[in-house]
Amino acid sequence: MPTLPPEEARPSEPEPHRHREIAESFGTDAERYDRTRPRYPDALVGRIVAGIPGPDVLDVGCGTGIAARQFQAANCWVLGVEPDARMAELARRSGVEAEVATFEAWDPAGREFDAVVAGTAWHWVDPVAGATKAGQVLRPGGLLAPFWHVPQLPSDVAKAIVAACERVMPDAPFSRAALTTPALEMYRTQFTRATDGIRQAGGFSDPEQWRFDWERSYTRHEWLEQMPTQGAFTRLPPAKLAEVLDYVGAAIDGMGGTFTMPYATVAVTATRTGAT
């Protein structure tokens, strides 16, 4: 969503990992989440796999297993850690081994990995504690690689979302001024927080950013199917959600029933170089 920091509660509250009620609300409709959320660029998965010393991958905040299945398809063995039991159960049904816990509280039981990844989930992890724990479970030369989708909604769709939310949920943290801000600028705080956490944890190479640009076309139905899985809407009462979707759907109809979304998928990466 271009009018909110990624899946956060409020821009004035800069630590989304403290808002567990939102982080653990995505399992409300886990099947819809799995069906509608976009996959990650194959080039990103390929670059991570090519740069790690072995095939063992830990997927933090694995959700329903979207990224995990992509790493499995790239011949990796993947273990997911997911705080929402409903999401973890769907991941298991899709063939992903998943354990239910927050990453900070998860017990690795002596297991080690060649990569620790997190697909649009690392902002729910304390950045220093998370990087420290990643360093403890990574083998030497292993890679820490949290990554995020950064969508840039067309202005007509974004305006419709903000207008609908101002009417239906006036206390929500939507801002018309944010419509003029490029999406990558709004996500920059997440990248900085991840980078700073890695540096404070120690034991890693200096973090790098990898960026992959792509786009996806949405029909009216496809976008309205995905919207309820976004953090701003997962806890909205059904009647209010329906009103928001009707308003946004009318805007998409006015655009011919489809639109194209530019995405950047950005990873913050660092290699384990020593003890943390």
Side-chain angles (χ1 to χ4, degrees):
M1 303 252 334
T3 55
L4 283 174
E7 309 287 21
E8 287 190 34
R10 295 182 183 274
S12 60
E13 298 172 348
E15 297 183 299
H17 65 274
R18 299 187 185 279
H19 298 284
R20 298 307 314 172
E21 73 281 2
I22 302 176
E24 296 171 16
S25 70
F26 298 111
T28 301
D29 191 344
E31 291 187 356
R32 181 198 294 260
Y33 186 103
D34 190 72
R35 182 174 65 248
T36 64
R37 284 286 183 126
R39 277 48 183 164
Y40 295 92
D42 290 338
L44 166 65
V45 175
R47 185 169 178 181
I48 290 172
V49 172
I52 58 179
D56 298 331
V57 174
L58 179 67
D59 185 2
V60 176
C62 70
T64 60
I66 291 172
R69 293 193 297 271
Q70 292 185 254
F71 281 96
Q72 287 178 328
N75 299 315
C76 292
W77 178 83
V78 183
L79 173 65
V81 177
E82 168 56 44
D84 190 315
R86 298 163 298 182
M87 303 281 272
E89 177 57 28
L90 198 154
R92 293 188 194 108
R93 295 205 308 265
S94 74
V96 175
E97 184 175 342
E99 298 180 2
V100 178
T102 62
F103 186 49
E104 296 92 331
W106 172 70
D107 180 8
R111 291 168 290 185
E112 294 184 329
F113 301 86
D114 300 296
V116 174
V117 303
T120 316
W122 194 252
H123 50 284
W124 298 120
V125 176
D126 180 282
V128 179
T132 299
K133 193 154 201 174
Q136 292 167 352
V137 302
L138 279 169
R139 299 184 176 108
L143 187 71
L144 173 58
F147 45 84
W148 290 263
H149 285 319
V150 183
Q152 183 67 64
L153 272 173
S155 61
D156 287 351
V157 180
K159 289 175 182 177
I161 292 173
V162 174
C165 290
E166 287 178 341
R167 182 175 64 182
V168 175
M169 37 195 289
D171 295 330
F174 290 86
S175 169
R176 289 188 176 276
L179 288 170
T180 61
T181 304
L184 278 166
E185 289 187 21
M186 296 200 67
Y187 278 70
R188 198 176 308 281
T189 298
Q190 302 297 353
F191 310 149
T192 299
R193 187 179 295 122
T195 297
D196 290 346
I198 292 168
R199 287 174 174 153
Q200 290 180 50
F204 288 93
S205 64
D206 199 48
E208 300 178 358
Q209 282 190 22
W210 302 347
R211 174 176 168 176
F212 302 84
D213 293 305
W214 54 287
E215 61 183 30
R216 174 177 168 177
S217 294
Y218 286 93
T219 65
R220 179 189 195 275
H221 173 75
E222 288 169 339
W223 182 247
L224 298 188
E225 272 278 278
Q226 187 185 126
M227 274 187 64
T229 74
Q230 297 167 356
F233 306 113
T234 52
R235 297 175 300 156
L236 197 62
K240 289 184 177 294
L241 176 62
E243 190 174 347
V244 170
L245 297 180
D246 285 346
Y247 197 96
V248 176
I252 297 172
D253 287 341
M255 300 169 63
T258 63
F259 66 91
T260 298
M261 176 98 80
Y263 280 91
T265 299
V266 178
V268 176
T269 68
T271 300
R272 182 179 179 271
T273 58
T276 57

